[in-house]
Amino acid sequence: MTTFEQIAPQLEHQAIEVPSWAYGNSGTRFKVFGSPGTPRSVEEKIADAATVNRFTGLAPKVALHIPWDKVEDYSSLTDYAREQGVEIGTINSNTFQDDDYKLGGLTHHDPAIRQKAVDHHFECIDIMHATGSQDLKIWLADGSNYPGQADIRARQDWLNESLQKIYDRLGDDQRLVLEYKIFEPAFYHMDVPDWGTALVQVQSLGEKAMVCLDTGHHAPSTNIEFIVAQLLRVGKLGSFDFNSRFYADDDLIVGSADPFQLFRILFEVIRGGGYEPDSGVAFMLDQCHNIEKKIPGQIRSVLNVQEMTARALLVDRDALSQAQQAGDVLGAHEVFMDAFYTDVRADLAAWRESRGLPGNPMRAYAESGYQEKIEAERVGGTQMSW
Amino acid sequence: MTTFEQIAPQLEHQAIEVPSWAYGNSGTRFKVFGSPGTPRSVEEKIADAATVNRFTGLAPKVALHIPWDKVEDYSSLTDYAREQGVEIGTINSNTFQDDDYKLGGLTHHDPAIRQKAVDHHFECIDIMHATGSQDLKIWLADGSNYPGQADIRARQDWLNESLQKIYDRLGDDQRLVLEYKIFEPAFYHMDVPDWGTALVQVQSLGEKAMVCLDTGHHAPSTNIEFIVAQLLRVGKLGSFDFNSRFYADDDLIVGSADPFQLFRILFEVIRGGGYEPDSGVAFMLDQCHNIEKKIPGQIRSVLNVQEMTARALLVDRDALSQAQQAGDVLGAHEVFMDAFYTDVRADLAAWRESRGLPGNPMRAYAESGYQEKIEAERVGGTQMSW
Amino acid sequence: MTTFEQIAPQLEHQAIEVPSWAYGNSGTRFKVFGSPGTPRSVEEKIADAATVNRFTGLAPKVALHIPWDKVEDYSSLTDYAREQGVEIGTINSNTFQDDDYKLGGLTHHDPAIRQKAVDHHFECIDIMHATGSQDLKIWLADGSNYPGQADIRARQDWLNESLQKIYDRLGDDQRLVLEYKIFEPAFYHMDVPDWGTALVQVQSLGEKAMVCLDTGHHAPSTNIEFIVAQLLRVGKLGSFDFNSRFYADDDLIVGSADPFQLFRILFEVIRGGGYEPDSGVAFMLDQCHNIEKKIPGQIRSVLNVQEMTARALLVDRDALSQAQQAGDVLGAHEVFMDAFYTDVRADLAAWRESRGLPGNPMRAYAESGYQEKIEAERVGGTQMSW
Amino acid sequence: MTTFEQIAPQLEHQAIEVPSWAYGNSGTRFKVFGSPGTPRSVEEKIADAATVNRFTGLAPKVALHIPWDKVEDYSSLTDYAREQGVEIGTINSNTFQDDDYKLGGLTHHDPAIRQKAVDHHFECIDIMHATGSQDLKIWLADGSNYPGQADIRARQDWLNESLQKIYDRLGDDQRLVLEYKIFEPAFYHMDVPDWGTALVQVQSLGEKAMVCLDTGHHAPSTNIEFIVAQLLRVGKLGSFDFNSRFYADDDLIVGSADPFQLFRILFEVIRGGGYEPDSGVAFMLDQCHNIEKKIPGQIRSVLNVQEMTARALLVDRDALSQAQQAGDVLGAHEVFMDAFYTDVRADLAAWRESRGLPGNPMRAYAESGYQEKIEAERVGGTQMSW
């Protein structure tokens, strides 16, 4: 049996990047509900992200989304973040909210629109240089709604040309991470719908191009941990966007819909070397707190990843391997489940306290007065939103 | 073989209600794109709906959505519609865009919110009296996002209480039509997720309560025509919301994603008596034209329903029945497919012309100058939107 | 916080019926693998079922499947079972393995075949009288593979006639339990595809007709616990067929694919009164151990139900209700998850031992020599199989 | 507008390979129904396949499945086929029906079992040399049922080693075609679940390794035509297994569940050059006629492919391209749908007759007496089956 003491050291390097947009208002196409205390500026978003890190020790970086997080002076913003105790992380581009992108961005049939979308990514790379960010994450909303509307095949070629231009602009230590998604906002076809397409595209670009796996972006019944294992095997797993879903891209708190799936994913991450400090795999949240409080929602999320990582580390790999090699179906399954069913919460609380962190970050946050403070202070202005 | 001449008379009474909101802007949670010519008032929406009817003869009623279509004087609005050549149809309530409804409306844990939602429906019934509308359609956004968040069971009882209050307020010739939906905007549970729940609820209310079937509101792989057959069998199919989808509730043009499914649905409608003039089944569109032009999108939609109804009427029911009774699997399937593969478009064009309508309504609209006119005239003001 | 001591008394009345067919060979359409020790007779199946009960105290009844478990003398069989320490439970009918049923049984277009299927159920009722069984479970393989092949609507009426005949033959203390399934073995339409259809059918029969919910018989993304809550609410949840699945009707060990779903289902069972001793809800397994050992597979299964029931009982209902009433989304979710993440295994082991049962039934069985014994003794004869 | 006359010449080279196993009995895990006239030998299967070709001119090759179609003398079998008017096509391997393969074949944790599976493929290659077959198709049933049961990652490496051995044995003009499938018979994980995995594996092997796309092997809502376009783009679409499905791998008659999907697939085939005579894409059926007559089922299938190919060829590519380039969503969709809704059946019948074939192959077969003949003659012996 693996014990908590044995695995605790491995928890020390865990880092989960949080998205700036999680602190702003979000919703469905039907309604975006506002809530008191919502940030009115990038700085307030960063302050909230830093709060999550302060209570958990798990979230040292905050990802930005351009243009939502555009500022005049990125150097000052970077300094501000450091003062708050966090770094600027991944830069996320956006080619879905400008009217020109109605029928596509990097894949648009009009070369001028494609160039506009490429130029937007050049701007993102400039921001990466200014902020010290290493990853440029590209999620494409591109696709079509009606059969016949678009030339599916030609758009793959256009996509490749566009990505090549962006890739060629990257600095030596920068990476391009391409995210796939099966549906939404395009309904008939998405230009990067699956990991196979993302892989084909990034393979043709070069070593600095990687795949991003968002856990909510697959067809029903897809075995996501298999994709994790395969992408690690071919050396192309660049990052995770964690969240969870029951039906579509629900963007719920990671682990809330199917905790066992999160366990299986994290097990394959560890199994495939993706949890090693130098693996190059970035762990990130990409969620929307539509109805729940945002900061506690983020704290809950990083704790869920931490707790499930601990359980996945607890798998007795030797016993598992022995049972697998013996063809002992139920025995191997039981070794696996033993770790999942182990309640690590008390051990984790003690371990957190030993590191100067609150044992129960959710309660500590609730008792800290931070929420009351921002609700009182953040009056007037325009709440940040999608 | 059934011929077009034989079935043409049955096409005469076809009527497909169009939704006022289809003429306003819509989109996904990521972006609502505006478009030139979009209505700025309820009257302009009605004018557009009337245009669809003028070119197709298929859309004599326009459904309203409250509060989106609230006006001071419903009597004037009704007169305006009549002058345009259409009637006011179904009144759709809305309990998902007020901040109070964040955690539910008719099913909210707080009785005061439930009463507020009930009162909204009373207002809708008043509008029905003022406009001569017969159907109150209730689609509930109510549900929860996280397991444990809500008391699923109690909410069914609260829903029943709320619906009973609304039902009791209906006039003698008015109906309550309850729509179900498997997901969105709530992700973990919806309070009316399936036809079984809608049926259980309306059965307890009484004869004037019916079920609404929206073709985009089911789990993947659901056999929708079976539900049509069953609801007709138990006398509770009140209305359709037609649209189509590839993944979720895409709200695409009816028949565009799976034309054969639309054929099967319409066949069961006819088979079960739902197409008879006195059947009480209301046929309605509920779609969003996010990227395509809205009026042509609506024209295309009602034509799709008409063309597929013609094909479904063409099924040689005697030959089908004989093959079914003989256990001739391939023979029965072939009789069925023969009708589906019959190209009715030329016959329909001639039939339309014989009735003083354009043979090709899409082209006639494009050449009519209406689109250019509204794009030129509808400048300034606020475009209507969700 | 609810403690294990508080909920332990409620575990005492837990009883999970096991299916005789789980001990025989099963497989997919591609291959049925045999395994040493597989029963060659109904008696050997019962002996295995009794073994599961002996090691767990959880499986006091064994369900039979007719004609797979037909014997000359049911009185002797019942005595044999009692000697082994178990009772005969539910009688399951079978109208899918006779050539006459190729195109349907209770719903066949030929009245003679329908009557044959009805007669089979009369025989099952006779067996119920002879064995003291209370429940007749009807799962229909009936449906069609090709659109047009069958008259979907007429078959509902034929089904109703057939079921009425069977229902009228029931004894006073007997029940008819109708099971639904979305697909397989028919691919286009199933005659009882969903809980709504099962409910409509049993409601028309009378009080002794109930619905059976098989956890593997739904479309992807279906919220099964909602159906549980609704069927309990309308008083029509007759029984469960427990198993789990990743894609289709995989018939895997209950709780192995999505443990949290099982937790949610059992919570709604308890919430709705279905776990009360007099609730009338029968808990049953319906699984296939295609590649794993069968008796340990069954032991693992009943333990999974027991462990998850304990977790569901541990939910602090007062705290949950308070958080729900306060609209505290994350708070209510946390109360719920606290119970799920509690490791009940050590407490359950101690509790089992206090009742004279092995603390670890899996290990106790492995060390008992029973498996080796049956593998050595059950040589020759024909292994029981589907 | 493209006319039938313009596209007719392209129909001349259409060839659809039929599988020998379609003429034997098949079924579900619940029941395999027998039927009169079913072949008792490989020769009788070939005779039936040749009959399909005689009535349609579309099926010049028959695929074999080893060991189901093992014979002593492949040279004689090849001669026999030629006398009947057909050639031996693809050789399909089988590593799922030997007891040794219970936990895997090419991916088994035991190297000895892996070598056994490799050796089976060597035998298949020998048969290819003896029969003149060019394609070795590998569909793997390999996978696992329970999380933890198997080392998902290691199995990818073992798979690659096994495939490399097989690949190295191929003759210069032979190809290895790897088929993927999301589920069944393994339920938790399949070792080749998706096109991405198949591509990664065959890319590492070399130019003679290709991907096989079976239209029934995807998750719900997957856009299959997109995969077609992508595989053609990267030069790795080796072959199709055509069939159709509503839920899982139903193996129904191609085009029967969603005719429009078949149209879209064939359009992308043509668009991407896959329909060119020298494209290297093999078109094949892989279906099961569980309840319908087998030979008419196969005739219906090849006709469905032919009819839908004609419709796809009818798409006015210039008009489509113009509308796409203009961003005319509804216009492009309409050009696309115009072809789909064109009834090509009468033109095809005339064209068939002009080539000495029956205009209505279904009727011609029914009136030919062949079915009555085989039902009368094929008495005794053992009907071929899975």
Side-chain angles (χ1 to χ4, degrees), chain C residues 58-215:
Chain C
L58 286 166
K61 285 190 184 176
V62 54
L64 301 187
H65 194 113
I66 306 301
W68 298 341
D69 296 326
K70 278 182 84 159
V71 293
E72 286 296 305
D73 182 349
Y74 289 97
S75 173
S76 299
L77 190 74
T78 309
D79 289 344
Y80 174 80
R82 277 188 197 136
E83 287 158 22
Q84 299 286 319
V86 293
E87 302 280 329
I88 303 297
T90 299
I91 300 299
N92 293 262
S93 63
N94 177 324
T95 53
F96 51 88
Q97 291 190 318
D98 185 298
D99 284 340
D100 280 344
Y101 299 137
K102 190 173 180 175
L103 302 180
L106 295 176
T107 67
H108 199 285
H109 57 269
D110 180 344
I113 307 287
R114 294 203 295 276
Q115 188 58 46
K116 173 175 171 169
V118 168
D119 288 341
H120 167 68
H121 286 86
F122 289 169
E123 183 189 358
C124 289
I125 293 173
D126 291 344
I127 295 171
M128 291 168 71
H129 285 297
T131 55
S133 304
Q134 287 187 303
D135 283 2
L136 171 63
K137 190 163 68 191
I138 304 179
W139 170 65
L140 292 181
D142 299 36
S144 67
N145 279 2
Y146 292 99
Q149 172 193 329
D151 188 335
I152 289 176
R153 166 69 183 270
R155 286 167 76 104
Q156 283 299 308
D157 298 328
W158 294 332
L159 173 60
N160 201 244
E161 288 171 23
S162 298
L163 289 175
Q164 190 67 56
K165 288 182 189 173
I166 297 166
Y167 184 84
D168 292 343
R169 188 77 159 239
L170 290 174
D172 287 346
D173 294 332
Q174 294 176 336
R175 304 192 307 175
L176 178 163
V177 187
L178 183 62
E179 187 169 341
Y180 60 91
K181 184 177 184 183
I182 185 178
F183 106 112
E184 196 206 26
F187 298 131
Y188 165 56
H189 107 274
M190 292 286 281
D191 286 306
V192 188
D194 51 22
W195 74 268
T197 295
L199 182 66
V200 162
Q201 287 286 347
V202 303
Q203 276 179 336
S204 84
L205 296 177
E207 288 198 352
K208 295 182 293 182
M210 306 290 282
V211 175
C212 173
L213 186 158
D214 182 300
T215 50

Side-chain angles (χ1 to χ4, degrees), chain A residues 103 109-110 146-154 156-158 160 182 188-197 199-201 203 219-223 225-227 229-230 232-234 260 264 268 271-272 320 324-330 332-333 336-337, chain D residues 103 109-110 146-154 156-158 160 182 188-197 199-201 203 219-223 225-227 229-230 232-234 260 264 268 271-272 320 324-330 332-333 336-337:
Chain A
L103 301 180
H109 57 269
D110 181 343
Y146 292 99
Q149 173 193 329
D151 188 335
I152 290 176
R153 167 68 183 269
Q156 282 300 305
D157 298 328
W158 295 330
N160 201 244
I182 185 178
Y188 166 55
H189 107 274
M190 291 288 279
D191 285 306
V192 188
D194 50 22
W195 74 267
T197 294
L199 182 66
V200 162
Q201 288 286 347
Q203 276 179 335
S221 302
T222 300
N223 184 325
E225 57 269 28
F226 179 90
I227 299 173
Q230 187 70 276
L232 283 169
R233 180 176 171 267
V234 298
F260 184 43
R264 300 192 310 261
E268 288 300 330
R271 163 68 181 88
L320 182 67
Q324 288 172 341
Q325 284 293 323
D328 180 1
V329 175
L330 289 173
H333 178 59
F336 198 69
M337 301 309 290
Chain D
L103 301 181
H109 57 270
D110 181 345
Y146 292 100
Q149 172 193 330
D151 188 335
I152 288 176
R153 166 69 182 270
Q156 282 299 307
D157 297 328
W158 295 330
N160 201 244
I182 186 178
Y188 166 55
H189 107 274
M190 292 287 281
D191 286 305
V192 188
D194 50 22
W195 75 268
T197 295
L199 182 67
V200 162
Q201 287 286 348
Q203 275 178 336
S221 304
T222 301
N223 184 325
E225 57 270 27
F226 178 89
I227 300 173
Q230 187 70 277
L232 283 169
R233 178 176 172 267
V234 298
F260 184 43
R264 300 192 309 262
E268 287 301 330
R271 164 69 181 88
L320 182 67
Q324 289 173 341
Q325 283 293 325
D328 180 0
V329 175
L330 289 174
H333 178 58
F336 199 68
M337 299 310 290

Side-chain angles (χ1 to χ4, degrees), chain C residues 43 67 91 102 147 187 199 224 290 301 303 314 316 322 357 368:
Chain C
E43 286 76 10
I91 300 299
K102 190 173 180 175
F187 298 131
L199 182 66
I224 298 174
N290 296 348
S301 302
L303 294 178
L314 281 174
D316 186 333
Q322 274 186 322
L357 290 162
S368 72

Side-chain angles (χ1 to χ4, degrees), chain B residues 73-84:
Chain B
D73 182 348
Y74 290 98
S75 174
S76 299
L77 191 73
T78 310
D79 289 344
Y80 175 79
R82 277 191 196 132
E83 286 159 23
Q84 299 287 318

Side-chain angles (χ1 to χ4, degrees), chain B residues 49 70 122 197 286 308:
Chain B
K70 276 182 86 159
F122 289 169
T197 295
D286 185 6
M308 212 52 93

Side-chain angles (χ1 to χ4, degrees), chain B residues 31-47:
Chain B
K31 171 73 174 171
V32 174
F33 292 99
S35 54
T38 297
R40 287 98 27 101
S41 67
V42 185
E43 286 76 11
E44 289 181 353
K45 292 197 229 174
I46 290 176

Side-chain angles (χ1 to χ4, degrees), chain C residues 195-267:
Chain C
W195 74 268
T197 295
L199 182 66
V200 162
Q201 287 286 347
V202 303
Q203 276 179 336
S204 84
L205 296 177
E207 288 198 352
K208 295 182 293 182
M210 306 290 282
V211 175
C212 173
L213 186 158
D214 182 300
T215 50
H217 287 190
H218 306 84
S221 303
T222 301
N223 184 324
I224 298 174
E225 57 269 28
F226 179 89
I227 300 174
V228 170
Q230 187 71 277
L231 285 174
L232 283 169
R233 179 175 172 267
V234 299
K236 281 296 185 188
L237 181 59
S239 62
F240 277 100
D241 270 6
F242 281 123
N243 51 60
S244 78
R245 53 80 82 93
F246 287 96
Y247 189 97
D249 184 32
D250 304 345
D251 281 330
L252 298 174
I253 288 174
V254 54
S256 65
D258 186 349
F260 184 42
Q261 184 186 57
L262 179 59
F263 173 79
R264 301 192 309 261
I265 289 171
L266 289 168
F267 176 78

